[in-house]
């Protein structure tokens, strides 16, 4: 059984930083596509960042502020978030698909999801 468990969400002030973690179990994510998505209240879920064998990609809204990374030894995914803004407030989800390359950011492509971790940024 594949499970993804996020952690690290918190309430912070604008300009602050947080690091989210996602622990994967049930398969080795070393060579697979992984991603972070987020969903704010009343809004659709949106892609934040992806990482695969070719590298990483970011939504324009977070580019330069967020960094996605993996620790293959720990089978974990991370999202370092700097210079946080109130508009970053959302539930953040880790997701994975068993393909070498992400080849897209549509959330329907991802078969495995965590339960989410809440990030709240106050002004």
């Amino acid at each position: 059984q594949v499970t993804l468990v996020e952690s690290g969400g918190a309430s912070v002030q604008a300009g602050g930083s947080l690091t989210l973690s996602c622990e994967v179990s049930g398969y080795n994510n070393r060579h697979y596509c992984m991603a972070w998505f987020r969903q704010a209240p009343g809004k659709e879920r949106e892609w934040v960042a992806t990482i695969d064998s070719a590298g990483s990609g970011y939504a324009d809204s977070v580019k330069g502020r967020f960094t996605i990374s993996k620790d293959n030894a720990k089978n974990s995914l991370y999202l370092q978030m700097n210079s946080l803004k109130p508009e970053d407030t959302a539930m953040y989800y880790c997701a994975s698909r068993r393909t070498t390359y992400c080849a897209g950011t549509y959330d329907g492509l991802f078969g495995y999801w965590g339960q989410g971790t809440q990030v709240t940024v106050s002004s």
Side-chain angles (χ1 to χ4, degrees), residues 1 12 21 28-29 31 43 52-53 65 88 98 102 110:
Q1 181 180 356
V12 297
S21 301
N28 189 325
N29 72 334
H31 300 298
K43 295 187 176 181
D52 60 19
S53 296
R65 299 188 298 121
D88 294 319
R98 290 199 185 189
C102 292
F110 293 81

Side-chain angles (χ1 to χ4, degrees), residues 1-7 21-25 27 33-39 45 77 91-97 107 110-118:
Q1 181 180 356
V2 177
T3 60
L4 284 69
V5 179
E6 303 95 334
S7 61
S21 301
C22 173
E23 184 174 339
V24 180
S25 60
Y27 79 94
C33 164
M34 295 204 72
W36 288 98
F37 287 80
R38 67 185 182 186
Q39 187 168 20
R45 186 162 55 190
L77 177 73
M91 185 72 78
Y92 283 71
Y93 298 90
C94 144
S96 182
R97 57 182 302 207
D107 59 0
F110 293 81
Y112 303 108
W113 292 85
Q115 293 300 307
T117 186
Q118 177 68 38

Side-chain angles (χ1 to χ4, degrees), residues 9-122:
S11 294
V12 297
Q13 292 202 328
S17 299
L18 280 176
T19 299
L20 305 183
S21 301
C22 173
E23 184 174 339
V24 180
S25 60
Y27 79 94
N28 189 325
N29 72 334
R30 179 184 298 268
H31 300 298
Y32 295 132
C33 164
M34 295 204 72
W36 288 98
F37 287 80
R38 67 185 182 186
Q39 187 168 20
K43 295 187 176 181
E44 292 188 353
R45 186 162 55 190
E46 66 173 354
W47 167 68
V48 174
T50 44
I51 187 167
D52 60 19
S53 296
S56 56
Y58 300 90
D60 287 343
S61 59
V62 306
K63 198 173 295 182
R65 299 188 298 121
F66 290 11
T67 303
I68 189 171
S69 62
K70 291 169 63 177
D71 185 331
N72 292 329
K74 295 182 178 179
N75 214 25
S76 294
L77 177 73
Y78 305 97
L79 185 67
Q80 173 67 44
M81 305 186 294
N82 298 324
S83 302
L84 283 161
K85 304 175 181 180
E87 51 263 44
D88 294 319
T89 295
M91 185 72 78
Y92 283 71
Y93 298 90
C94 144
S96 182
R97 57 182 302 207
R98 290 199 185 189
T99 56
T100 301
Y101 302 105
C102 292
T105 59
Y106 169 54
D107 59 0
L109 297 172
F110 293 81
Y112 303 108
W113 292 85
Q115 293 300 307
T117 186
Q118 177 68 38
V119 173
T120 302
V121 184
S122 58

